[in-house]
Amino acid sequence: MDGARRTTARFFSQPVAFRASADDASCVKYTYEFPRPALTVDAVVFTLRANDLAVLLIRRKKAPHKGKFALPGGFVDANESLANAALRELAEETGVTDVTLEQLGAYGDPGRDPRGHTVSVAFFSFIVAEAHEVTAGDDASSAAWVSWAEIESGPAALAFDHAQLVQDARVRLQQRLDDPCGHVGLELVPARFTLSELQGVYEAVFGRAFDKRNFRSRLLAQDLVEAVDAAQRTGRHRPAQLYRWKNVKTQ
Amino acid sequence: MDGARRTTARFFSQPVAFRASADDASCVKYTYEFPRPALTVDAVVFTLRANDLAVLLIRRKKAPHKGKFALPGGFVDANESLANAALRELAEETGVTDVTLEQLGAYGDPGRDPRGHTVSVAFFSFIVAEAHEVTAGDDASSAAWVSWAEIESGPAALAFDHAQLVQDARVRLQQRLDDPCGHVGLELVPARFTLSELQGVYEAVFGRAFDKRNFRSRLLAQDLVEAVDAAQRTGRHRPAQLYRWKNVKTQ
DNA sequence: ACAAAAGTGTTGAGAGTACACCCATGC
DNA sequence: GCATGGGTGTACTCTCAACACTTTTGT
């Protein structure tokens, strides 16, 4: 504990802004009575890519963990909500917007960032990769989808405790899909989709095969999807019936 | 966003310690290149009290929200883990120790604390009230169990967004108990307990009655509990068989 | 004796799982 | 015509929910 007794009034004293030196006009400092951990947000964005689960990562071009993959994320701005901070950082670093993020939890082990005590609030999501363009945000990093196989079995080493975050996020995603209404808030498939596409998403997330008949009958029995009449997706083989989520605006 | 481009190196510059004035030796200040939200932890500790769910709260004796009830909690110290901070604050403010806390999530709405941007990481737990002594921590607050009825229907107004926290915590607690192994990490009952006592906990958490036969047979079918031979609790009526959790050390 | 809590089985409905074959299309 | 993915039904098992009466003790 601190030697000095911490009082609320003193802890909450307003930050003092001043210039550190005459020749650095941009260097305003923020001062508090007690130390504050840095607060960051990270986003674990999943997608289905080539029949495999993939995560949107950036490659760090700066120390620490230079050259390693990391989750898009960054510092929470003054008077910014956590979710907005995560959306902003995701957009800045990967170009991905229009995402619904769900909170995963806070990660605050004092040693998780070698630069100092940093607490990160993690979010997760699932999106259709084809519906979002990925662009590297700045020269400090480059963004790309990285398949789960590369993440899990070594080739793509993750910075900080981000390997833990993506593991936890996948478990939470599985719990979401176990729920009959688990698709709400997650962009698992395009607005119109075939049941095989949806099944592919489930199989990638859970890492195992599902029985086609059981999968389809459960969806229909739970009244989650409805066929879109006179719309069939053409392809190399027999065209598949298109569906949409039921009780959701048509989009 | 900030006008200045935020770089990692500058954000992580070490805090500068100095004395604000010559006659206040204890007033060391901490300075950062960018504003940092205050980081706090809060603990939602449930118990069963008089057949009703209750939450361990403190009554605030200071502004803001003077006189209102609030969750025990406080600021995270330098290089302190989130869970340890919550345990420390819980012990300081209520005297309750030896608790297993589980993380609920982070609450970071910029307006949630009128004193300024404050992010709180919430934890929850369930304990046997009789096994823990509650003592007010200091003159800034007094600690007490407050029944759910008082919390929900008005008499006990909660400070900040703590009404939301306890609601969310109860939902998470219900999800935990739905899990066949939901009791792990939660101190629902004493080491030796009757099935009626355990059922009472479930009924308080879910707010509805369970069928006695179904409740008992499910527990036994799932191999969760085992009878403790030659041990029966005496009372006003027919003595009840005592049980203990299976596959858990005897305690 | 009676009040109060302890204890005990069966039945029906629904969900989940396992399983195999024909269909429509592109090449 | 053949390769490829699309599409369909049944039987079994297991879990969950509903349901009432007897037993044991203290007073």
Side-chain angles (χ1 to χ4, degrees), chain B residues 54-72:
Chain B
V55 180
L56 184 55
L57 297 177
I58 62 171
R59 190 182 274 277
R60 294 181 61 84
K61 291 185 177 163
K62 293 190 166 187
H65 300 302
K66 184 177 173 179
K68 279 190 179 177
F69 284 103
L71 294 168

Side-chain angles (χ1 to χ4, degrees), chain B residues 133-146:
Chain B
E133 194 185 0
V134 173
T135 58
D138 57 27
D139 53 337
S141 62
S142 58
W145 291 110
V146 179

Side-chain angles (χ1 to χ4, degrees), chain A residues 1-2 6 8 11-12 27-33 36 75 77 79-80 92 103 106 115 117-118, chain B residues 1-2 6 8 11-12 27-33 36 75 77 79 92 103 106 115 117-118:
Chain A
M1 273 211 62
D2 291 287
R6 169 174 296 182
T8 4
F11 193 94
F12 273 110
C27 186
V28 175
K29 288 183 184 290
Y30 297 86
T31 300
Y32 309 97
E33 298 286 346
R36 294 187 172 187
F75 300 101
D77 282 342
N79 296 312
E80 181 182 40
E92 286 178 12
Q103 195 188 116
R115 294 165 294 186
H117 192 189
T118 305
Chain B
M1 274 211 59
D2 292 287
R6 169 174 296 180
T8 4
F11 193 94
F12 274 109
C27 187
V28 175
K29 287 181 183 293
Y30 296 86
T31 300
Y32 310 97
E33 298 286 344
R36 294 186 171 187
F75 299 101
D77 282 342
N79 295 313
E92 286 178 12
Q103 194 187 116
R115 293 166 295 185
H117 191 189
T118 304

Side-chain angles (χ1 to χ4, degrees), chain B residues 122-143:
Chain B
F123 291 80
F124 73 98
S125 186
F126 193 104
I127 64 174
V128 175
E130 293 73 23
H132 300 265
E133 194 185 0
V134 173
T135 58
D138 57 27
D139 53 337
S141 62
S142 58

